[in-house]
Amino acid sequence: SLHESSTGKKKEPAGSFLRVAALLYLFMALGAVLWIGWREGRIELGLFLSRASWWQDVVVGLGAGLALAGGWEITRRSVAMARQLEESLKSLLGGIGRDEVVGLALLSGFSEELFFRGAVQLSWGFLPATLLFAVLHTGRGREYRVWTGAALVSGLVLGGLLLWRGNLLAAMTAHTVVNAVGLERLRRD
């Protein structure tokens, strides 16, 4: 059943939103796999990681993710629309649990990076993938402009990680960290 948020708006139960999000991310990953497979003929392990330097990619991804999360923290403390955005997102999430935070962060970090960087960026280039990533992170209301701007900055960093590291692991790690930190904060607040 629906319940009231602290702002008096109706909130969807977490389960229904999370099921829709999980389906979206699974379809996104499937679309990316089909796109990459069609383009390349097969999907190499090297797209995801380098056997020799995978641990460096994880460290770089953790650092980039924490830097992006820190940038958002500064933004939310200094920009009223960022705090309004968080209230809107919190309303969508309902009563999300810690296990759901972890699952959604892992699924979104993997799926979005596979799609936007693995499929779109490697097919159309850095700038089109970054712009598409930003444009698709929007919603109704002025506060969602902040999300689009944050997604543009994040897309630049994540796309740059793919260019620099030559595989998706650093970008997937960074994206997962950003989403985990953000979702956990929304869950707690």
Side-chain angles (χ1 to χ4, degrees), residues 69 71-80 82-83 86 185 189:
W72 177 255
E73 183 61 26
I74 292 167
T75 302
R76 73 183 284 274
R77 288 178 184 213
S78 58
V79 178
R83 293 186 297 278
E86 286 195 343
R185 185 180 48 255
D189 290 348

Side-chain angles (χ1 to χ4, degrees), residues 86-107:
E86 286 195 343
E87 286 301 316
S88 293
L89 294 175
K90 206 181 312 184
S91 177
L92 283 173
L93 289 173
I96 189 172
R98 179 162 285 138
D99 55 339
E100 295 162 323
V101 164
V102 171
L104 191 55
L106 286 168
L107 188 56

Side-chain angles (χ1 to χ4, degrees), residues 99-177:
D99 55 339
E100 295 162 323
V101 164
V102 171
L104 191 55
L106 286 168
L107 188 56
S108 62
F110 175 82
S111 298
E112 288 191 50
E113 290 312 303
L114 184 59
F115 182 79
F116 288 105
R117 262 43 80 185
V120 179
Q121 183 169 326
L122 292 177
S123 294
W124 296 348
F126 173 77
L127 193 55
T130 300
L131 293 174
L132 182 63
F133 183 74
V135 166
L136 293 179
H137 283 78
T138 192
R140 286 190 232 159
R142 286 178 5 117
E143 69 271 19
Y144 282 88
R145 293 180 195 158
V146 177
W147 194 21
T148 306
L152 179 63
V153 171
S154 295
L156 290 167
V157 170
L158 298 168
L161 288 173
L162 173 62
L163 293 174
W164 175 33
R165 303 304 301 165
N167 64 70
L168 293 171
L169 186 57
M172 286 179 170
T173 302
H175 199 143
T176 300
V177 167

